Amino acid sequence: MKYSKWIPLLFCLVWLTACRQDAPHFRIGVAQCSDDSWRHKMNDEILREAMFYEGVSVEIRSAGDDNSKQAEDVHYFMDEGVDLLIISANEAAPMTPIVEEAYQRGIPVILVDRKILSDKYTAYIGADNYEIGRSVGNYIASRLEGKGNVVELTGLSGSTPAMERHQGFMAAISKFPDIKLIDKADAAWERGPAEIEMDSMLRHHPKIDAVYAHNDRIAPGAYQAAKKAGREKEMIFVGIDALPGKGNGLELVLDSVLDATFIYPTNGDKVMQLAMDILEKRPYPKETVMNTAVVDRTNAHVMQLQTTHISELDNKIETLNGRIGGYLSRVATQQVVMYGSLVILLLVAGLLLVVYKSLRSKNRLNKELFQQKQQLEEQRDKLEEQCDQLIQLSHQLEEATHAKLVFFTNISHDFRTPLTLVADPVEHLLADKTLSGDQHRMLMLIQRNVNILLRLVNQILDFRKYENGKMEFTPVSVDILSSFEGWNESFQAAARKKHIHFSFDSMPETDYHTLADMEKLERIYFNLLSNAFKFTPENGKIAVRLSSLNKEDKRWIRFTVANTGSMISAEHIRNVFDRFYKIDMHHAGSGIGLALVKAFVEMHGGTIAVESDEKLGTIFTVELPVQSCETVATEPDDILVSPDFRTTDILLTEEEELVKGYDSSKPSVLVIDDNEDIRSYVHTLLHTDYTVIEAADGSEGIRKAMKYVPDLIISDVMMPGIDGIECCRRLKSELQTCHIPVILLTACSLDEQRIQGYDGGADSYISKPFSSQLLMARVRNLIDSHRRLKQFFGDGQTLAKEDVCDMDKDFVERFKSLIEEKMGDSGLNVEDLGKEMGLSRVQLYRKIKSLTNYSPNELLRIARLKKAASLLASSDMTVAEIGYEVGFSSPSYFTKCYKEQFGESPTDFLKRKG
C-alpha cells in the first residue's frame, strides 16, 4: 500500500536514535615505535584519559622497533581515515617522509617522545632529552668528583632521543677534563644487546668508573654483564625512565642495581589532552617539554609509595568505568525496548490511517492517471519537436565541420609554398662541407621539422580529397607479406635506439597476394607502426602479426600492430578515429592521422579496430578482403593527383647520438623534455660551457638528478606521465636535490600554471618560444648565484643570510655538529658520516660538494685543523697530544696538514707564542 514505504523509515529512525550516543565523534590512531613497559604505561594513560571524552575511540599499534612496520601502521591509519595521529618515531630519518605525508594530507600529527628531521607536524610533547642527558652528565661528574672513566650504552642510533641524550651528556662532562668517555655502543634500547656490548667493553677496558645507560632496560643488562665479570662494585650505574613496578627503574634503585635513574615522564594523559585541544579547535602549544628529576636511594622509597597510591587510584577508576559501562548498556537496552514499543503503536495507528486513506485515494488516483496521460501526450509532442531541433543542429554541425576542413585545406595550400622555399635552401646548405657540427645539427633540426609540417599539410589535403570523393584508388597486385618485410627495415634504427623488442610474425604457407593501392597500404602500415614506436617506452615491445581468415564465405587478410606501455581509456577509444580528435594535451599530433588511416582502409573495403588494456597495451587490428581483378572497379573520371607526401617521411632519419662524456670540471645542466629536438637544441646552446645531461620524461629526470646532482635543471612543463611541475615538487622535497635551481619551460602563459610552478619550488619560468640569449643568461645567473652559497665555510658567513631552504640549513648544521662530535675518531670516514646523516657515501659527497664546494673529507680536515689551532693557542698540550686529540693518525701527518693550512708548523706557532 501507499504508506507502507514509511515503515522501514520508522525503524531506521528508531535505530539511529538509539545508537547515536555510541557513535564516536573522533578517531585517534597511535603508532608506537616499540613494545615495552614505558610504552605500556603511556598507552594505559592515553586510554584512561580518553574515557573522559565522549565519543572518542583510540586504536594503538606497536611497530616493535621496525621502521617498515611503523610506516605500514601510519599508512593503515591514514587509509582508515583517522582524525588525528599520535606518532613516536622509531628512527628520525626513515619516518620523516611518512610523517610529512600524513601532515600534508591534512591529518593533525602529534609527535611524542621522539622528533623527526622536519617541522611538518602539528605539535610535539615529550621530555627534553638533551637536558636529561646533561643532568645525567652532571650527576655522574658529581658522584665521581670530577674524575673517572665512563662508558655509554645508547638507544637506537637513528632515533632523536638517543642522539640528544648523548649530546647533552657530552656537553655536561666536557666541563670536567678528567672525566673521559672511553667507549660508546648502540644497545638499541634493549637489555640483551646491552649485556653483549657491556661484556665487550669490560674485556677492552680494565678500569670503568661509571656506566651511562639510555634507559632502565639497558642498565640492568650492563649490570648483569659486570656482575658476571665480578666488577659490578667498581662502578656506578645510571639509567633513565624511573618507572614503578617489578624490574623497572624505581625497583632497580631500591635493589641497589642502579645508583640512580632519571624520571622520563610518560604523560599519556597530557598527550590525550593535547589531542583533544587540537581536535576541538582550542589553543595549544607547538612544543610541550616535560620536566625530569633524579631518583636515587634518598628518594626512591617515597617515589614507590606515591606510585603505589597512584596505581591503586587508577585501578579504582577502571573499576568505576566498568560499572558505568554496565549502567550505560542497561540504559541502551531499555531505550531499544521503549522505542520498539513506540514503533509498534505507530504502526498500528499507521495501518488504520492507511485503510482510511486508501478509500479516499482511489478516486484521486484515477483522476491523476488521466492527468498523467495528458502530460505524456504533451511530452511526446515536445520530444518530437526536440528531435527536429537535433536534426537541424546535426546539419549545422556538419556544415561547421565542412567549413573547418575547407579552411584547413585553403590554409594548407598557402603553407606549402613557403615550406617548400624553406626546405630546398636547407637541403642546399646541408650539402656544404664547411659547416661546423653545431651548424649541421641546427639545419638537420630545421629539415626534420619542415618535413613534419609538410606531412601534416599533405594529410589535410588528402583527407579533403577523400571527403570530396576525389581520392584516386589505384589497385595493383601486391604481395603483402614481402611488402611488410621490406617496410620493417625502415624501423630497425628506431627499435635499436629505444631498445624496443620489435617482432614480425606471419602464418606459414599462406598466400598473401591481393589487389590494393600500394601507396595507401604503405601509408596505413607506416602510420600505425610509427604511432606504436612513438608511444612505446624504452625496453618495451612491438609485435606485428599477419594472418588469413575466412569471413562471410570470403577470404580476408588480417594484420595487427600491438605495443606495450601505452593505454587508451574507454572514454577516448571510441573517438580515436574521429578527425581532429586528440586524447589529451600530453599526446602530440594533428588529430587527423588515424582518421586518414581509417579512410584508406575503408577505400579497400576493409575494417580497422582498436583495443587497449593496462596490462597488454594497445592493439590495432586491420582486416582487408582479398580481391581479384574482377572484383575491383575503378573510376576513370577521378582526378589523378600525385601526392607530395612520402611515407618514408613518417620515420625520420635519426642522427647518431652525440657522445656526452660527463665532465666534472664544468658545471652540469640536466635538460628534461619529451621533445628530442628541444633537448638537442638546448644541448647545442649549452654544451660548450656546461656538461649537459638529457632526460626524455619526468621519471627519468628525477632518476638522473638523484644520480648526477647537477648544478641546474631545465624542465618542460607539459610532459606525459610526471609533468614538469610535479617533477620540480619532488626534486625540491628530496634532501639530495632540494638545493638545485629549476627553470621551467612552458608554452602556456596562464598565471595559474606559473603559481603552481613557483609553489612547487621553481626558481624561474621561461615561455616558449624562448630566446637562446635569455635562456643562457638565466642559466648563468642561477649557477653563479648558487655558487655564492658555497663560500660560507671560507668567509665565515652563516647560511641564515643566504637563499637556502630550511632542509639544507638543517642538513649543514647537523653535519657540522657531527664533525665536531666525532673529529677525535681517527678512523672516521665518509661511509661513517653518511650513515649518521642517513645518506650513501656517493649521495653525501655530491650533496656536500654541491653546497660547500668542499668534499666531506676536506671539511673534516679543515675542522680538525681549526680545532687544533684553538687548542695550541689556549692549552698546554704538546703538538702530538693535540694531533691525536683532533683525530690525526700521526704527529707528522698533523704537522704537514697544519703547515699547508696556516703557512707555519705547530712548533713555529708555539715558539712565536712564547
Side-chain angles (χ1 to χ4, degrees):
M1 289 183 291
K2 178 180 177 181
Y3 296 98
S4 61
K5 63 182 181 180
W6 295 101
I7 297 175
L9 181 62
L10 288 172
F11 275 115
C12 293
L13 179 63
V14 173
W15 180 80
L16 289 173
T17 304
C19 298
R20 69 180 185 273
Q21 293 181 346
D22 297 328
H25 299 303
F26 296 115
R27 297 182 60 196
I28 299 175
V30 181
Q32 289 285 16
C33 58
S34 58
D35 187 16
D36 52 61
S37 55
W38 192 86
R39 301 285 167 189
H40 287 170
K41 187 172 185 295
M42 177 190 290
N43 294 342
D44 291 342
E45 291 170 350
I46 290 174
L47 293 173
R48 189 179 303 115
E49 184 68 19
M51 296 175 185
F52 294 98
Y53 299 96
E54 183 180 359
V56 175
S57 65
V58 179
E59 182 177 353
I60 300 175
R61 288 188 162 223
S62 175
D65 301 315
D66 187 339
N67 292 324
S68 60
K69 174 63 169 59
Q70 189 168 31
E72 291 176 3
D73 291 344
V74 175
H75 280 118
Y76 162 79
F77 285 131
M78 288 192 286
D79 294 339
E80 289 294 312
V82 296
D83 299 290
L84 182 140
L85 275 170
I86 299 172
I87 300 175
S88 179
N90 188 49
E91 289 188 275
M95 289 305 299
T96 295
I98 311 298
V99 175
E100 289 180 342
E101 179 184 354
Y103 182 77
Q104 290 168 353
R105 283 198 191 185
I107 302 174
V109 179
I110 298 177
L111 297 181
V112 179
D113 173 37
R114 304 182 181 186
K115 291 188 176 181
I116 59 172
L117 305 180
S118 168
D119 61 354
K120 292 183 178 179
Y121 56 85
T122 308
Y124 167 78
I125 182 169
D128 188 337
N129 285 289
Y130 181 90
E131 181 62 26
I132 289 177
R134 193 176 67 82
S135 299
V136 173
N138 290 330
Y139 177 82
I140 291 177
S142 174
R143 287 292 307 273
L144 298 180
E145 298 180 354
K147 182 176 182 180
N149 294 332
V150 184
V151 296
E152 180 180 8
L153 294 170
T154 74
L156 199 62
S157 60
S159 63
T160 56
M163 293 186 285
E164 293 172 357
R165 290 177 185 182
H166 170 74
Q167 293 168 358
F169 179 74
M170 294 303 297
I173 66 171
S174 63
K175 300 176 182 178
F176 302 91
D178 291 331
I179 293 182
K180 305 293 183 183
L181 179 64
I182 61 174
D183 207 344
K184 173 189 171 187
D186 185 348
W189 303 111
E190 296 299 332
R191 175 170 180 161
E195 189 170 345
I196 295 172
E197 296 294 343
M198 185 62 187
D199 184 66
S200 174
M201 290 177 178
L202 290 169
R203 290 197 300 269
H204 288 86
H205 303 290
K207 179 172 176 54
I208 299 175
D209 298 299
V211 178
Y212 168 32
H214 277 203
N215 68 5
D216 290 343
R217 293 193 307 281
I218 296 175
Y223 179 85
Q224 189 63 28
K227 186 174 182 180
K228 289 180 181 179
R231 297 174 57 183
E232 76 278 8
K233 302 297 184 183
E234 302 175 6
M235 56 197 78
I236 64 173
F237 294 84
V238 180
I240 296 173
D241 279 347
L243 288 180
K246 185 173 178 59
N248 291 327
L250 189 58
E251 185 178 279
L252 293 174
V253 172
L254 292 172
D255 292 342
S256 299
V257 174
L258 299 183
D259 290 83
T261 181
F262 281 75
I263 296 175
Y264 192 65
T266 52
N267 286 315
D269 53 344
K270 297 277 194 307
V271 173
M272 193 63 203
Q273 292 167 13
L274 177 60
M276 295 309 299
D277 286 341
I278 294 172
L279 289 173
E280 294 178 350
K281 311 299 183 183
R282 292 193 292 269
Y284 63 90
K286 173 81 171 180
E287 305 284 336
T288 303
V289 178
M290 303 301 177
N291 297 322
T292 184
V294 65
V295 177
D296 55 17
R297 294 183 183 90
T298 61
N299 60 357
H301 184 68
V302 175
M303 288 285 297
Q304 186 181 40
L305 292 176
Q306 291 175 343
T307 55
T308 300
H309 180 64
I310 292 171
S311 178
E312 291 174 355
L313 292 176
D314 289 341
N315 291 333
K316 291 179 180 179
I317 291 173
E318 291 179 0
T319 301
L320 290 174
N321 183 69
R323 292 181 180 179
I324 292 171
Y327 297 149
L328 291 176
S329 177
R330 290 183 193 175
V331 171
T333 303
Q334 293 171 355
Q335 285 180 337
V336 170
V337 173
M338 182 183 68
Y339 288 128
S341 302
L342 178 61
V343 166
I344 292 173
L345 291 174
L346 290 174
L347 287 175
V348 172
L351 288 173
L352 293 174
L353 182 63
V354 166
V355 172
Y356 172 73
K357 290 288 186 181
S358 62
L359 295 175
R360 295 188 57 186
S361 298
K362 182 177 180 181
N363 293 331
R364 189 177 70 251
L365 289 174
N366 290 332
K367 188 182 296 185
E368 289 177 355
L369 286 174
F370 177 75
Q371 292 175 351
Q372 288 177 0
K373 180 181 177 182
Q374 289 181 329
Q375 291 175 355
L376 288 174
E377 290 177 353
E378 292 176 358
Q379 290 176 356
R380 182 187 63 188
D381 295 337
K382 289 182 180 179
L383 287 174
E384 290 177 354
E385 182 181 351
Q386 290 175 354
C387 182
D388 294 337
Q389 292 175 351
L390 288 174
I391 293 173
Q392 184 179 359
L393 287 174
S394 177
H395 290 313
Q396 293 175 354
L397 181 62
E398 184 67 27
E399 292 173 1
T401 303
H402 177 74
K404 182 169 70 171
L405 200 56
V406 169
F407 168 76
F408 279 122
T409 303
N410 294 336
I411 201 171
S412 297
H413 278 292
D414 293 338
F415 281 158
R416 290 184 65 178
T417 299
L419 285 174
T420 303
L421 293 176
V422 172
D424 188 60
V426 168
E427 289 184 4
H428 284 289
L429 289 173
L430 282 171
D432 188 353
K433 303 299 183 182
T434 63
L435 292 175
S436 68
D438 287 345
Q439 291 172 334
H440 189 271
R441 281 191 293 273
M442 290 288 190
L443 288 172
M444 287 292 293
L445 178 64
I446 296 172
Q447 186 186 52
R448 282 201 304 272
N449 285 277
V450 167
N451 289 335
I452 290 172
L453 286 173
L454 282 171
R455 176 170 60 111
L456 296 174
V457 167
N458 288 330
Q459 281 185 349
I460 294 174
L461 293 176
D462 286 346
F463 199 83
R464 180 64 176 155
K465 293 174 190 175
Y466 173 77
E467 290 242 321
N468 291 336
K470 295 183 179 180
M471 176 65 71
E472 177 80 8
F473 181 70
T474 309
V476 296
S477 180
V478 177
D479 182 359
I480 292 182
L481 176 59
S482 61
S483 298
F484 282 11
E485 288 176 341
W487 295 334
N488 287 341
E489 295 298 323
S490 302
F491 294 92
Q492 297 301 324
R496 286 192 298 271
K497 181 179 179 182
K498 293 183 70 175
H499 308 288
I500 292 174
H501 178 69
F502 176 41
S503 63
F504 178 81
D505 185 27
S506 62
M507 290 177 57
E509 300 179 0
T510 303
D511 182 13
Y512 292 106
H513 284 82
T514 185
L515 287 178
D517 188 315
M518 191 67 171
E519 180 187 0
K520 293 175 178 58
L521 183 63
E522 180 185 30
R523 291 171 70 175
I524 292 170
Y525 190 71
F526 266 74
N527 197 303
L528 293 178
L529 210 51
S530 295
N531 280 341
F533 273 92
K534 182 190 298 182
F535 296 115
T536 302
E538 288 196 9
N539 301 310
K541 295 181 180 180
I542 297 177
V544 179
R545 178 168 178 77
L546 183 62
S547 60
S548 176
L549 71 155
N550 290 317
K551 186 168 61 172
E552 299 175 354
D553 298 328
K554 189 174 182 180
R555 197 165 69 86
W556 291 62
I557 294 175
R558 171 192 291 166
F559 70 90
T560 60
V561 179
N563 69 286
T564 61
S566 66
M567 188 192 79
I568 305 174
S569 64
E571 62 178 301
H572 296 299
I573 201 167
R574 59 176 175 268
N575 301 315
V576 75
F577 295 111
D578 293 349
R579 55 192 176 189
F580 305 116
Y581 184 81
K582 293 177 67 175
I583 293 175
D584 54 50
M585 63 196 307
H586 295 304
H587 288 75
S590 65
I592 201 172
L594 287 176
L596 198 59
V597 167
K598 185 174 184 292
F600 288 166
V601 170
E602 291 175 348
M603 289 181 70
H604 286 79
T607 61
I608 183 170
V610 60
E611 300 176 23
S612 195
D613 181 82
E614 187 173 357
K615 294 182 179 178
L616 300 178
T618 302
I619 303 175
F620 283 89
T621 302
V622 177
E623 294 181 353
L624 303 174
V626 175
Q627 298 182 354
S628 61
C629 295
E630 293 78 10
T631 60
V632 178
T634 62
E635 300 178 15
D637 295 333
D638 286 349
I639 299 173
L640 178 61
V641 179
S642 177
D644 296 327
F645 174 80
R646 296 303 305 156
T647 55
T648 53
D649 289 338
I650 295 177
L651 185 66
L652 302 173
T653 304
E654 298 291 345
E655 293 184 71
E656 292 295 325
E657 281 195 324
L658 297 175
V659 178
K660 306 179 183 70
Y662 187 84
D663 185 358
S664 61
S665 64
K666 296 191 294 185
S668 57
V669 177
L670 171 61
V671 181
I672 308 172
D673 200 303
D674 59 330
N675 188 302
E676 182 179 1
D677 290 336
I678 293 292
R679 297 200 308 272
S680 176
Y681 179 59
V682 175
H683 181 276
T684 302
L685 293 176
L686 300 179
H687 79 279
T688 302
D689 300 318
Y690 305 95
T691 296
V692 182
I693 307 162
E694 296 182 21
D697 53 50
S699 298
E700 182 184 357
I702 292 173
R703 289 196 301 272
K704 288 191 175 180
M706 300 289 285
K707 178 179 180 181
Y708 294 103
V709 190
D711 294 284
L712 182 133
I713 295 172
I714 301 173
S715 175
D716 188 22
V717 172
M718 304 309 301
M719 294 185 293
I722 299 177
D723 62 21
I725 293 175
E726 175 64 15
C727 179
C728 177
R729 189 189 65 77
R730 294 191 186 184
L731 290 171
K732 290 294 185 178
S733 64
E734 291 291 339
L735 180 62
Q736 299 94 314
T737 57
C738 62
H739 64 281
I740 303 174
V742 177
I743 298 176
L744 292 180
L745 302 179
T746 178
C748 179
S749 61
L750 294 177
D751 289 340
E752 290 84 352
Q753 188 191 76
R754 293 176 180 268
I755 292 171
Q756 289 179 355
Y758 285 126
D759 287 344
D763 297 89
S764 181
Y765 250 105
I766 296 181
S767 299
K768 293 181 181 177
F770 55 83
S771 163
S772 60
Q773 294 180 348
L774 173 63
L775 177 65
M776 295 178 69
R778 197 69 187 110
V779 168
R780 182 171 57 253
N781 288 341
L782 283 175
I783 291 180
D784 289 345
S785 176
H786 185 65
R787 187 178 289 125
R788 289 196 295 270
L789 301 180
K790 301 180 180 181
Q791 306 303 321
F792 74 98
F793 265 100
D795 59 17
Q797 295 180 0
T798 62
L799 283 177
K801 299 177 182 178
E802 303 288 355
D803 186 16
V804 182
C805 66
D806 292 338
M807 189 180 295
D808 282 340
K809 291 178 185 177
D810 180 64
F811 175 83
V812 172
E813 292 303 322
R814 287 196 297 115
F815 186 74
K816 291 166 67 178
S817 298
L818 181 62
I819 288 179
E820 290 289 336
E821 175 188 338
K822 294 183 174 290
M823 70 166 59
D825 182 3
S826 61
L828 184 65
N829 54 36
V830 179
E831 285 81 0
D832 297 333
L833 293 171
K835 181 180 178 183
E836 293 284 345
M837 297 297 293
L839 298 173
S840 68
R841 179 183 62 82
V842 175
Q843 289 174 331
L844 179 66
Y845 177 85
R846 287 177 175 163
K847 181 73 176 179
I848 293 296
K849 187 75 173 178
S850 176
L851 282 175
T852 69
N853 218 24
Y854 293 100
S855 68
N857 279 331
E858 290 173 329
L859 289 181
L860 179 60
R861 185 170 66 251
I862 291 172
R864 283 171 167 166
L865 291 172
K866 288 184 176 181
K867 182 65 177 291
S870 175
L871 291 174
L872 283 170
S874 61
S875 71
D876 295 330
M877 299 170 66
T878 65
V879 172
E881 287 174 340
I882 291 175
Y884 289 126
E885 176 70 19
V886 298
F888 282 93
S889 57
S890 67
S892 61
Y893 181 59
F894 165 60
T895 301
K896 175 179 176 294
C897 294
Y898 188 95
K899 188 170 184 179
E900 289 176 355
Q901 179 72 19
F902 298 109
E904 64 177 346
S905 68
T907 305
D908 293 339
F909 174 81
L910 291 175
K911 290 180 180 178
R912 183 165 52 82
K913 175 184 173 185

